[in-house]
Short mmCIF file of all heavy atoms in Angstrom, two decimals:
data_model
loop_
_atom_site.label_atom_id
_atom_site.label_comp_id
_atom_site.label_asym_id
_atom_site.label_seq_id
_atom_site.Cartn_x
_atom_site.Cartn_y
_atom_site.Cartn_z
N VAL A 164 137.22 -90.62 -19.86
CA VAL A 164 138.28 -89.76 -19.34
C VAL A 164 138.94 -88.99 -20.48
O VAL A 164 139.17 -87.78 -20.40
CB VAL A 164 139.33 -90.58 -18.57
CG1 VAL A 164 140.51 -89.70 -18.14
CG2 VAL A 164 138.71 -91.26 -17.36
N ASN A 165 139.25 -89.69 -21.55
CA ASN A 165 139.95 -89.07 -22.66
C ASN A 165 139.08 -88.07 -23.41
O ASN A 165 139.59 -87.10 -23.99
CB ASN A 165 140.49 -90.15 -23.61
CG ASN A 165 141.54 -91.01 -22.93
OD1 ASN A 165 142.24 -90.55 -22.03
ND2 ASN A 165 141.64 -92.27 -23.34
N SER A 166 137.78 -88.30 -23.39
CA SER A 166 136.88 -87.30 -23.98
C SER A 166 136.96 -86.00 -23.21
O SER A 166 136.90 -84.90 -23.79
CB SER A 166 135.45 -87.83 -23.98
OG SER A 166 135.31 -88.94 -24.82
N TYR A 167 137.09 -86.10 -21.91
CA TYR A 167 137.25 -84.89 -21.08
C TYR A 167 138.58 -84.20 -21.39
O TYR A 167 138.65 -82.96 -21.48
CB TYR A 167 137.19 -85.24 -19.60
CG TYR A 167 137.63 -84.11 -18.71
CD1 TYR A 167 136.80 -83.01 -18.49
CD2 TYR A 167 138.89 -84.12 -18.12
CE1 TYR A 167 137.22 -81.96 -17.70
CE2 TYR A 167 139.32 -83.07 -17.33
CZ TYR A 167 138.49 -81.99 -17.12
OH TYR A 167 138.90 -80.94 -16.34
N LEU A 168 139.65 -84.95 -21.60
CA LEU A 168 140.97 -84.37 -21.82
C LEU A 168 141.10 -83.73 -23.20
O LEU A 168 141.93 -82.83 -23.39
CB LEU A 168 142.05 -85.45 -21.68
CG LEU A 168 142.25 -86.08 -20.30
CD1 LEU A 168 143.29 -87.18 -20.37
CD2 LEU A 168 142.64 -85.03 -19.27
N GLN A 169 140.30 -84.18 -24.14
CA GLN A 169 140.47 -83.77 -25.53
C GLN A 169 140.43 -82.25 -25.66
O GLN A 169 139.48 -81.58 -25.23
CB GLN A 169 139.39 -84.40 -26.40
CG GLN A 169 139.61 -84.20 -27.89
CD GLN A 169 138.61 -84.97 -28.73
OE1 GLN A 169 137.66 -85.53 -28.20
NE2 GLN A 169 138.82 -85.02 -30.02
N GLY A 170 141.49 -81.71 -26.25
CA GLY A 170 141.53 -80.28 -26.53
C GLY A 170 141.88 -79.40 -25.35
O GLY A 170 141.87 -78.17 -25.47
N LYS A 171 142.22 -80.00 -24.21
CA LYS A 171 142.51 -79.20 -23.01
C LYS A 171 144.01 -79.15 -22.74
O LYS A 171 144.71 -80.16 -22.84
CB LYS A 171 141.79 -79.78 -21.78
CG LYS A 171 140.29 -79.62 -21.79
CD LYS A 171 139.68 -80.15 -20.50
CE LYS A 171 138.20 -79.84 -20.41
NZ LYS A 171 137.43 -80.55 -21.43
N ASP A 172 144.47 -77.96 -22.39
CA ASP A 172 145.82 -77.82 -21.86
C ASP A 172 145.79 -78.10 -20.36
O ASP A 172 144.72 -78.14 -19.74
CB ASP A 172 146.34 -76.40 -22.10
CG ASP A 172 146.55 -76.11 -23.58
OD1 ASP A 172 146.91 -77.06 -24.32
OD2 ASP A 172 146.37 -74.95 -23.99
N GLY A 173 146.99 -78.25 -19.77
CA GLY A 173 147.06 -78.54 -18.35
C GLY A 173 146.32 -77.52 -17.49
O GLY A 173 145.59 -77.89 -16.57
N LYS A 174 146.45 -76.23 -17.82
CA LYS A 174 145.79 -75.20 -17.00
C LYS A 174 144.28 -75.27 -17.11
O LYS A 174 143.57 -74.75 -16.25
CB LYS A 174 146.29 -73.81 -17.41
CG LYS A 174 145.94 -73.39 -18.82
CD LYS A 174 146.51 -72.02 -19.15
CE LYS A 174 146.24 -71.62 -20.60
NZ LYS A 174 144.80 -71.57 -20.92
N ASP A 175 143.77 -75.93 -18.16
CA ASP A 175 142.33 -76.10 -18.29
C ASP A 175 141.81 -77.25 -17.44
O ASP A 175 140.60 -77.41 -17.29
CB ASP A 175 141.96 -76.38 -19.75
CG ASP A 175 142.39 -75.26 -20.68
OD1 ASP A 175 142.28 -74.09 -20.27
OD2 ASP A 175 142.84 -75.57 -21.79
N ILE A 176 142.73 -78.05 -16.88
CA ILE A 176 142.35 -79.23 -16.12
C ILE A 176 142.45 -78.99 -14.62
O ILE A 176 141.58 -79.41 -13.86
CB ILE A 176 143.24 -80.42 -16.54
CG1 ILE A 176 143.04 -80.72 -18.03
CG2 ILE A 176 142.92 -81.65 -15.70
CD1 ILE A 176 144.02 -81.74 -18.58
N SER A 177 143.51 -78.32 -14.19
CA SER A 177 143.63 -78.00 -12.76
C SER A 177 144.66 -76.92 -12.54
O SER A 177 145.55 -76.71 -13.37
CB SER A 177 144.00 -79.24 -11.94
OG SER A 177 145.38 -79.50 -12.02
N LEU A 178 144.54 -76.26 -11.41
CA LEU A 178 145.49 -75.23 -11.01
C LEU A 178 146.89 -75.82 -10.86
O LEU A 178 147.89 -75.18 -11.20
CB LEU A 178 145.03 -74.62 -9.68
CG LEU A 178 145.93 -73.56 -9.05
CD1 LEU A 178 145.99 -72.34 -9.94
CD2 LEU A 178 145.40 -73.17 -7.68
N GLU A 179 146.98 -77.06 -10.36
CA GLU A 179 148.29 -77.67 -10.17
C GLU A 179 149.06 -77.82 -11.48
O GLU A 179 150.28 -77.64 -11.51
CB GLU A 179 148.14 -79.05 -9.51
CG GLU A 179 147.71 -79.00 -8.05
CD GLU A 179 146.19 -79.04 -7.88
OE1 GLU A 179 145.47 -78.68 -8.84
OE2 GLU A 179 145.74 -79.44 -6.79
N TYR A 180 148.36 -78.15 -12.56
CA TYR A 180 149.04 -78.25 -13.85
C TYR A 180 149.58 -76.89 -14.28
O TYR A 180 150.65 -76.80 -14.88
CB TYR A 180 148.11 -78.80 -14.92
CG TYR A 180 147.84 -80.27 -14.82
CD1 TYR A 180 146.54 -80.75 -14.73
CD2 TYR A 180 148.88 -81.20 -14.83
CE1 TYR A 180 146.28 -82.10 -14.64
CE2 TYR A 180 148.63 -82.56 -14.74
CZ TYR A 180 147.32 -83.00 -14.64
OH TYR A 180 147.07 -84.35 -14.56
N ALA A 181 148.82 -75.84 -14.01
CA ALA A 181 149.30 -74.51 -14.35
C ALA A 181 150.60 -74.21 -13.63
O ALA A 181 151.53 -73.61 -14.19
CB ALA A 181 148.24 -73.47 -13.99
N ALA A 182 150.70 -74.64 -12.37
CA ALA A 182 151.93 -74.45 -11.60
C ALA A 182 153.06 -75.30 -12.16
O ALA A 182 154.19 -74.83 -12.32
CB ALA A 182 151.68 -74.78 -10.13
N LEU A 183 152.78 -76.57 -12.45
CA LEU A 183 153.82 -77.44 -13.00
C LEU A 183 154.35 -76.91 -14.33
O LEU A 183 155.52 -77.10 -14.66
CB LEU A 183 153.26 -78.85 -13.20
CG LEU A 183 153.09 -79.72 -11.96
CD1 LEU A 183 152.44 -81.04 -12.34
CD2 LEU A 183 154.41 -79.97 -11.27
N GLY A 184 153.50 -76.25 -15.06
CA GLY A 184 153.90 -75.74 -16.36
C GLY A 184 155.01 -74.73 -16.31
O GLY A 184 155.67 -74.46 -17.32
N PHE A 185 155.25 -74.12 -15.15
CA PHE A 185 156.33 -73.16 -15.03
C PHE A 185 157.71 -73.82 -15.00
O PHE A 185 158.72 -73.20 -15.30
CB PHE A 185 156.17 -72.33 -13.76
CG PHE A 185 155.08 -71.30 -13.85
CD1 PHE A 185 154.00 -71.34 -13.01
CD2 PHE A 185 155.16 -70.28 -14.80
CE1 PHE A 185 153.00 -70.39 -13.09
CE2 PHE A 185 154.16 -69.32 -14.88
CZ PHE A 185 153.07 -69.38 -14.04
N THR A 186 157.78 -75.09 -14.58
CA THR A 186 159.08 -75.72 -14.39
C THR A 186 159.36 -76.85 -15.37
O THR A 186 160.50 -77.26 -15.50
CB THR A 186 159.19 -76.30 -12.96
OG1 THR A 186 158.11 -77.22 -12.75
CG2 THR A 186 159.12 -75.19 -11.93
N ASN A 187 158.36 -77.39 -16.02
CA ASN A 187 158.62 -78.39 -17.05
C ASN A 187 157.48 -78.37 -18.06
O ASN A 187 156.48 -77.69 -17.86
CB ASN A 187 158.79 -79.79 -16.45
CG ASN A 187 157.55 -80.29 -15.74
OD1 ASN A 187 156.49 -80.41 -16.35
ND2 ASN A 187 157.67 -80.60 -14.45
N ASP A 188 157.68 -79.08 -19.12
CA ASP A 188 156.68 -79.07 -20.19
C ASP A 188 155.76 -80.27 -20.12
O ASP A 188 155.28 -80.76 -21.13
CB ASP A 188 157.37 -79.00 -21.55
CG ASP A 188 158.32 -80.19 -21.78
OD1 ASP A 188 158.49 -81.00 -20.84
OD2 ASP A 188 158.87 -80.29 -22.89
N TYR A 189 155.51 -80.74 -18.89
CA TYR A 189 154.66 -81.92 -18.72
C TYR A 189 153.27 -81.66 -19.27
O TYR A 189 152.65 -80.61 -19.02
CB TYR A 189 154.56 -82.30 -17.24
CG TYR A 189 153.58 -83.43 -17.01
CD1 TYR A 189 153.94 -84.74 -17.28
CD2 TYR A 189 152.28 -83.16 -16.59
CE1 TYR A 189 153.05 -85.77 -17.11
CE2 TYR A 189 151.37 -84.19 -16.42
CZ TYR A 189 151.75 -85.48 -16.69
OH TYR A 189 150.85 -86.51 -16.53
N LYS A 190 152.76 -82.63 -20.00
CA LYS A 190 151.40 -82.56 -20.52
C LYS A 190 150.70 -83.88 -20.22
O LYS A 190 151.25 -84.96 -20.46
CB LYS A 190 151.40 -82.32 -22.04
CG LYS A 190 151.90 -80.93 -22.44
CD LYS A 190 151.87 -80.76 -23.94
CE LYS A 190 152.24 -79.32 -24.33
NZ LYS A 190 153.55 -78.94 -23.80
N PRO A 191 149.49 -83.82 -19.68
CA PRO A 191 148.76 -85.05 -19.35
C PRO A 191 148.53 -85.91 -20.59
O PRO A 191 148.20 -85.40 -21.66
CB PRO A 191 147.43 -84.53 -18.78
CG PRO A 191 147.71 -83.13 -18.35
CD PRO A 191 148.74 -82.61 -19.30
N GLN A 192 148.73 -87.21 -20.41
CA GLN A 192 148.53 -88.15 -21.50
C GLN A 192 147.16 -88.83 -21.37
O GLN A 192 146.52 -88.77 -20.32
CB GLN A 192 149.63 -89.21 -21.47
CG GLN A 192 151.03 -88.64 -21.59
CD GLN A 192 151.25 -87.90 -22.90
OE1 GLN A 192 151.00 -88.44 -23.97
NE2 GLN A 192 151.70 -86.65 -22.81
N ASN A 193 146.75 -89.49 -22.42
CA ASN A 193 145.48 -90.20 -22.40
C ASN A 193 145.46 -91.29 -21.34
O ASN A 193 146.50 -91.86 -20.98
CB ASN A 193 145.19 -90.82 -23.77
CG ASN A 193 144.52 -89.83 -24.71
OD1 ASN A 193 144.12 -88.75 -24.31
ND2 ASN A 193 144.40 -90.21 -25.97
N TRP A 194 144.29 -91.58 -20.84
CA TRP A 194 144.06 -92.62 -19.84
C TRP A 194 143.95 -93.96 -20.55
O TRP A 194 143.45 -94.05 -21.68
CB TRP A 194 142.79 -92.32 -19.07
CG TRP A 194 142.62 -93.13 -17.82
CD1 TRP A 194 141.91 -94.28 -17.66
CD2 TRP A 194 143.20 -92.84 -16.54
NE1 TRP A 194 142.01 -94.72 -16.36
CE2 TRP A 194 142.79 -93.85 -15.65
CE3 TRP A 194 144.02 -91.82 -16.06
CZ2 TRP A 194 143.16 -93.88 -14.31
CZ3 TRP A 194 144.40 -91.84 -14.73
CH2 TRP A 194 143.97 -92.86 -13.87
N THR A 195 144.40 -95.02 -19.87
CA THR A 195 144.29 -96.37 -20.44
C THR A 195 143.60 -97.29 -19.43
O THR A 195 143.61 -97.02 -18.22
CB THR A 195 145.67 -96.97 -20.77
OG1 THR A 195 146.34 -97.32 -19.55
CG2 THR A 195 146.52 -95.99 -21.57
N PRO A 196 143.03 -98.41 -19.88
CA PRO A 196 142.43 -99.37 -18.94
C PRO A 196 143.43 -99.88 -17.91
O PRO A 196 143.07 -100.10 -16.75
CB PRO A 196 141.95 -100.49 -19.86
CG PRO A 196 141.68 -99.83 -21.16
CD PRO A 196 142.74 -98.78 -21.28
N VAL A 197 144.68 -100.05 -18.30
CA VAL A 197 145.70 -100.54 -17.37
C VAL A 197 145.95 -99.53 -16.25
O VAL A 197 146.27 -99.91 -15.13
CB VAL A 197 147.00 -100.89 -18.11
CG1 VAL A 197 148.12 -101.25 -17.13
CG2 VAL A 197 146.76 -102.04 -19.08
N ASP A 198 145.79 -98.24 -16.54
CA ASP A 198 145.93 -97.23 -15.49
C ASP A 198 144.94 -97.48 -14.36
O ASP A 198 145.28 -97.30 -13.18
CB ASP A 198 145.71 -95.82 -16.05
CG ASP A 198 146.80 -95.38 -17.00
OD1 ASP A 198 147.94 -95.87 -16.86
OD2 ASP A 198 146.53 -94.55 -17.89
N SER A 199 143.74 -97.88 -14.70
CA SER A 199 142.73 -98.16 -13.68
C SER A 199 143.10 -99.41 -12.88
O SER A 199 142.97 -99.43 -11.65
CB SER A 199 141.35 -98.36 -14.32
OG SER A 199 140.89 -97.17 -14.92
N VAL A 200 143.57 -100.44 -13.56
CA VAL A 200 143.91 -101.69 -12.88
C VAL A 200 145.12 -101.49 -11.97
O VAL A 200 145.20 -102.07 -10.88
CB VAL A 200 144.17 -102.82 -13.90
CG1 VAL A 200 144.52 -104.11 -13.19
CG2 VAL A 200 142.93 -103.03 -14.78
N SER A 201 146.06 -100.64 -12.38
CA SER A 201 147.26 -100.39 -11.58
C SER A 201 146.91 -99.84 -10.21
O SER A 201 147.62 -100.10 -9.22
CB SER A 201 148.19 -99.42 -12.30
OG SER A 201 148.73 -99.98 -13.46
N TRP A 202 145.83 -99.07 -10.16
CA TRP A 202 145.47 -98.48 -8.87
C TRP A 202 145.13 -99.56 -7.84
O TRP A 202 145.36 -99.38 -6.65
CB TRP A 202 144.31 -97.52 -9.05
CG TRP A 202 143.80 -96.99 -7.74
CD1 TRP A 202 142.54 -97.07 -7.26
CD2 TRP A 202 144.56 -96.31 -6.74
NE1 TRP A 202 142.45 -96.48 -6.02
CE2 TRP A 202 143.68 -96.02 -5.68
CE3 TRP A 202 145.89 -95.93 -6.64
CZ2 TRP A 202 144.10 -95.35 -4.52
CZ3 TRP A 202 146.31 -95.27 -5.49
CH2 TRP A 202 145.42 -94.99 -4.46
N LEU A 203 144.61 -100.68 -8.30
CA LEU A 203 144.34 -101.78 -7.37
C LEU A 203 145.61 -102.26 -6.69
O LEU A 203 145.59 -102.70 -5.54
CB LEU A 203 143.68 -102.94 -8.11
CG LEU A 203 142.21 -102.74 -8.52
CD1 LEU A 203 141.76 -103.89 -9.41
CD2 LEU A 203 141.32 -102.61 -7.31
N LYS A 204 146.74 -102.20 -7.41
CA LYS A 204 148.01 -102.63 -6.83
C LYS A 204 148.47 -101.63 -5.76
O LYS A 204 148.99 -102.02 -4.71
CB LYS A 204 149.07 -102.77 -7.92
CG LYS A 204 148.69 -103.75 -9.01
CD LYS A 204 148.35 -105.14 -8.45
CE LYS A 204 147.85 -106.08 -9.51
NZ LYS A 204 147.40 -107.37 -8.96
N ALA A 205 148.29 -100.35 -6.03
CA ALA A 205 148.65 -99.34 -5.03
C ALA A 205 147.79 -99.50 -3.79
O ALA A 205 148.28 -99.39 -2.66
CB ALA A 205 148.49 -97.95 -5.63
N MET A 206 146.51 -99.77 -4.00
CA MET A 206 145.62 -99.99 -2.86
C MET A 206 146.06 -101.22 -2.08
O MET A 206 146.11 -101.20 -0.84
CB MET A 206 144.19 -100.18 -3.37
CG MET A 206 143.16 -100.46 -2.29
SD MET A 206 141.49 -100.63 -2.98
CE MET A 206 141.63 -102.17 -3.86
N ALA A 207 146.41 -102.28 -2.78
CA ALA A 207 146.82 -103.51 -2.11
C ALA A 207 148.12 -103.31 -1.33
O ALA A 207 148.32 -103.91 -0.28
CB ALA A 207 147.00 -104.63 -3.16
N TRP A 208 149.01 -102.46 -1.83
CA TRP A 208 150.28 -102.21 -1.14
C TRP A 208 150.03 -101.64 0.25
O TRP A 208 150.62 -102.06 1.23
CB TRP A 208 151.14 -101.26 -1.96
CG TRP A 208 152.42 -100.87 -1.29
CD1 TRP A 208 152.72 -99.67 -0.71
CD2 TRP A 208 153.59 -101.68 -1.13
NE1 TRP A 208 153.99 -99.68 -0.21
CE2 TRP A 208 154.55 -100.91 -0.45
CE3 TRP A 208 153.91 -102.99 -1.50
CZ2 TRP A 208 155.81 -101.41 -0.13
CZ3 TRP A 208 155.16 -103.48 -1.17
CH2 TRP A 208 156.10 -102.69 -0.49
N ASP A 209 149.15 -100.67 0.35
CA ASP A 209 148.89 -100.04 1.65
C ASP A 209 148.07 -100.95 2.56
O ASP A 209 148.02 -100.72 3.76
CB ASP A 209 148.16 -98.71 1.45
CG ASP A 209 149.12 -97.60 1.06
OD1 ASP A 209 150.34 -97.81 1.19
OD2 ASP A 209 148.67 -96.53 0.65
N LEU A 210 147.44 -101.97 1.99
CA LEU A 210 146.62 -102.89 2.79
C LEU A 210 147.26 -104.27 2.81
O LEU A 210 146.58 -105.27 2.90
CB LEU A 210 145.21 -102.95 2.20
CG LEU A 210 144.47 -101.62 2.10
CD1 LEU A 210 143.15 -101.80 1.36
CD2 LEU A 210 144.22 -101.02 3.45
N ARG A 211 148.59 -104.31 2.78
CA ARG A 211 149.29 -105.57 2.53
C ARG A 211 149.44 -106.46 3.75
O ARG A 211 149.99 -107.55 3.66
CB ARG A 211 150.66 -105.29 1.93
CG ARG A 211 151.60 -104.50 2.84
CD ARG A 211 152.83 -104.03 2.07
NE ARG A 211 153.75 -103.24 2.88
CZ ARG A 211 153.66 -101.94 3.06
NH1 ARG A 211 152.67 -101.27 2.48
NH2 ARG A 211 154.53 -101.29 3.80
N GLY A 212 149.01 -106.03 4.93
CA GLY A 212 149.07 -106.93 6.08
C GLY A 212 150.23 -106.63 7.00
O GLY A 212 150.47 -105.50 7.35
N ASN A 213 151.00 -107.68 7.36
CA ASN A 213 151.93 -107.56 8.48
C ASN A 213 153.38 -107.33 8.08
O ASN A 213 154.29 -107.60 8.86
CB ASN A 213 151.85 -108.83 9.34
CG ASN A 213 152.58 -110.00 8.70
OD1 ASN A 213 152.71 -110.08 7.47
ND2 ASN A 213 153.05 -110.93 9.51
N MET A 214 153.63 -106.82 6.90
CA MET A 214 155.01 -106.66 6.46
C MET A 214 155.81 -105.76 7.39
O MET A 214 156.97 -106.04 7.70
CB MET A 214 155.04 -106.10 5.03
CG MET A 214 156.43 -105.96 4.46
SD MET A 214 156.32 -105.52 2.71
CE MET A 214 157.97 -104.92 2.42
N GLN A 215 155.19 -104.68 7.88
CA GLN A 215 155.92 -103.80 8.79
C GLN A 215 156.23 -104.50 10.11
O GLN A 215 157.31 -104.33 10.67
CB GLN A 215 155.10 -102.53 9.07
CG GLN A 215 155.88 -101.44 9.80
CD GLN A 215 157.03 -100.91 8.98
OE1 GLN A 215 156.85 -100.39 7.89
NE2 GLN A 215 158.25 -101.07 9.49
N ASP A 216 155.30 -105.31 10.60
CA ASP A 216 155.58 -106.08 11.82
C ASP A 216 156.71 -107.07 11.60
O ASP A 216 157.53 -107.32 12.49
CB ASP A 216 154.32 -106.82 12.28
CG ASP A 216 153.29 -105.87 12.85
OD1 ASP A 216 153.64 -105.07 13.73
OD2 ASP A 216 152.13 -105.94 12.42
N GLU A 217 156.76 -107.66 10.41
CA GLU A 217 157.83 -108.61 10.08
C GLU A 217 159.19 -107.91 10.13
O GLU A 217 160.16 -108.44 10.68
CB GLU A 217 157.56 -109.18 8.68
CG GLU A 217 158.44 -110.34 8.29
CD GLU A 217 158.02 -110.95 6.95
OE1 GLU A 217 156.86 -110.76 6.54
OE2 GLU A 217 158.87 -111.60 6.33
N VAL A 218 159.24 -106.70 9.57
CA VAL A 218 160.48 -105.93 9.60
C VAL A 218 160.81 -105.53 11.04
O VAL A 218 161.95 -105.67 11.50
CB VAL A 218 160.34 -104.67 8.72
CG1 VAL A 218 161.53 -103.73 8.93
CG2 VAL A 218 160.24 -105.06 7.25
N ASP A 219 159.80 -105.04 11.77
CA ASP A 219 160.05 -104.54 13.13
C ASP A 219 160.56 -105.65 14.05
O ASP A 219 161.44 -105.42 14.88
CB ASP A 219 158.78 -103.92 13.71
CG ASP A 219 158.46 -102.57 13.10
OD1 ASP A 219 159.28 -102.07 12.29
OD2 ASP A 219 157.40 -102.00 13.44
N ARG A 220 159.99 -106.83 13.95
CA ARG A 220 160.45 -107.93 14.80
C ARG A 220 161.94 -108.19 14.59
O ARG A 220 162.69 -108.44 15.54
CB ARG A 220 159.66 -109.20 14.51
CG ARG A 220 158.28 -109.25 15.13
CD ARG A 220 157.73 -110.66 15.01
NE ARG A 220 156.38 -110.74 15.52
CZ ARG A 220 155.29 -110.63 14.77
NH1 ARG A 220 155.41 -110.42 13.48
NH2 ARG A 220 154.09 -110.73 15.31
N ALA A 221 162.35 -108.17 13.33
CA ALA A 221 163.76 -108.41 13.05
C ALA A 221 164.63 -107.27 13.56
O ALA A 221 165.71 -107.49 14.09
CB ALA A 221 163.96 -108.61 11.55
N LEU A 222 164.17 -106.04 13.42
CA LEU A 222 164.94 -104.90 13.91
C LEU A 222 165.09 -104.93 15.43
O LEU A 222 166.11 -104.53 15.98
CB LEU A 222 164.27 -103.59 13.49
CG LEU A 222 164.29 -103.26 11.99
CD1 LEU A 222 163.43 -102.04 11.72
CD2 LEU A 222 165.71 -103.03 11.51
N LEU A 223 164.08 -105.41 16.12
CA LEU A 223 164.11 -105.44 17.58
C LEU A 223 165.21 -106.35 18.12
O LEU A 223 165.66 -106.18 19.26
CB LEU A 223 162.76 -105.90 18.12
CG LEU A 223 161.61 -104.88 18.04
CD1 LEU A 223 160.28 -105.56 18.36
CD2 LEU A 223 161.85 -103.71 18.99
N THR A 224 165.65 -107.32 17.32
CA THR A 224 166.63 -108.28 17.82
C THR A 224 167.97 -107.63 18.14
O THR A 224 168.81 -108.23 18.80
CB THR A 224 166.84 -109.42 16.82
OG1 THR A 224 167.34 -108.89 15.58
CG2 THR A 224 165.56 -110.18 16.58
N SER A 225 168.21 -106.39 17.69
CA SER A 225 169.48 -105.76 17.98
C SER A 225 169.60 -105.34 19.44
O SER A 225 170.70 -105.20 19.95
CB SER A 225 169.69 -104.53 17.08
OG SER A 225 168.78 -103.50 17.43
N ARG A 226 168.46 -105.15 20.11
CA ARG A 226 168.51 -104.71 21.50
C ARG A 226 167.68 -105.56 22.45
O ARG A 226 167.85 -105.45 23.66
CB ARG A 226 168.05 -103.25 21.61
CG ARG A 226 169.07 -102.29 21.02
CD ARG A 226 169.00 -100.90 21.63
NE ARG A 226 170.14 -100.12 21.18
CZ ARG A 226 171.31 -100.08 21.82
NH1 ARG A 226 171.47 -100.78 22.93
NH2 ARG A 226 172.31 -99.37 21.35
N LEU A 227 166.80 -106.37 21.92
CA LEU A 227 165.91 -107.14 22.79
C LEU A 227 166.06 -108.63 22.53
O LEU A 227 166.33 -109.05 21.40
CB LEU A 227 164.46 -106.71 22.56
CG LEU A 227 164.13 -105.24 22.75
CD1 LEU A 227 162.66 -104.99 22.46
CD2 LEU A 227 164.49 -104.75 24.15
N GLY A 228 165.86 -109.40 23.57
CA GLY A 228 165.90 -110.84 23.44
C GLY A 228 164.54 -111.42 23.08
O GLY A 228 163.53 -110.71 23.03
N PRO A 229 164.47 -112.73 22.81
CA PRO A 229 163.22 -113.38 22.40
C PRO A 229 162.08 -113.15 23.38
O PRO A 229 160.95 -112.89 22.97
CB PRO A 229 163.60 -114.85 22.30
CG PRO A 229 165.07 -114.85 22.03
CD PRO A 229 165.62 -113.67 22.77
N LYS A 230 162.35 -113.26 24.68
CA LYS A 230 161.29 -113.08 25.67
C LYS A 230 160.77 -111.65 25.64
O LYS A 230 159.56 -111.40 25.73
CB LYS A 230 161.83 -113.42 27.06
CG LYS A 230 160.91 -113.04 28.23
CD LYS A 230 159.56 -113.77 28.15
CE LYS A 230 158.77 -113.59 29.44
NZ LYS A 230 158.40 -112.18 29.67
N GLN A 231 161.67 -110.69 25.50
CA GLN A 231 161.24 -109.29 25.48
C GLN A 231 160.42 -108.98 24.22
O GLN A 231 159.42 -108.26 24.28
CB GLN A 231 162.47 -108.39 25.53
CG GLN A 231 163.24 -108.50 26.85
CD GLN A 231 164.61 -107.89 26.74
OE1 GLN A 231 165.35 -108.16 25.77
NE2 GLN A 231 164.97 -107.07 27.71
N ILE A 232 160.85 -109.52 23.09
CA ILE A 232 160.09 -109.30 21.86
C ILE A 232 158.71 -109.93 21.98
O ILE A 232 157.71 -109.35 21.55
CB ILE A 232 160.87 -109.85 20.64
CG1 ILE A 232 162.16 -109.06 20.47
CG2 ILE A 232 160.02 -109.75 19.38
CD1 ILE A 232 163.07 -109.60 19.38
N ALA A 233 158.65 -111.11 22.58
CA ALA A 233 157.35 -111.75 22.81
C ALA A 233 156.47 -110.88 23.70
O ALA A 233 155.26 -110.81 23.51
CB ALA A 233 157.54 -113.13 23.42
N ASP A 234 157.06 -110.20 24.68
CA ASP A 234 156.29 -109.28 25.52
C ASP A 234 155.60 -108.20 24.69
O ASP A 234 154.49 -107.75 25.02
CB ASP A 234 157.21 -108.59 26.54
CG ASP A 234 157.63 -109.50 27.68
OD1 ASP A 234 157.03 -110.57 27.85
OD2 ASP A 234 158.58 -109.12 28.40
N LEU A 235 156.28 -107.77 23.63
CA LEU A 235 155.78 -106.66 22.82
C LEU A 235 154.82 -107.11 21.73
O LEU A 235 154.22 -106.27 21.05
CB LEU A 235 156.95 -105.89 22.19
CG LEU A 235 157.98 -105.32 23.18
CD1 LEU A 235 159.00 -104.47 22.44
CD2 LEU A 235 157.31 -104.52 24.28
#
Side-chain angles (χ1 to χ4, degrees):
V164 175
N165 295 331
S166 294
Y167 168 76
L168 294 177
Q169 189 173 9
K171 290 183 173 66
D172 293 327
K174 64 182 176 60
D175 301 322
I176 299 171
S177 80
L178 177 65
E179 290 91 337
Y180 285 124
L183 284 176
F185 285 118
T186 57
N187 63 59
D188 59 355
Y189 175 79
K190 291 180 175 57
Q192 301 299 307
N193 275 351
W194 194 264
T195 73
V197 174
D198 292 333
S199 295
V200 180
S201 293
W202 174 237
L203 287 173
K204 302 304 175 185
M206 178 179 69
W208 176 254
D209 280 347
L210 303 174
R211 63 191 178 273
N213 76 333
M214 183 172 162
Q215 191 65 59
D216 288 309
E217 190 174 338
V218 170
D219 286 356
R220 282 192 183 95
L222 291 172
L223 286 169
T224 61
S225 69
R226 289 206 170 271
L227 304 179
K230 170 61 169 64
Q231 295 165 312
I232 296 174
D234 285 346
L235 302 186

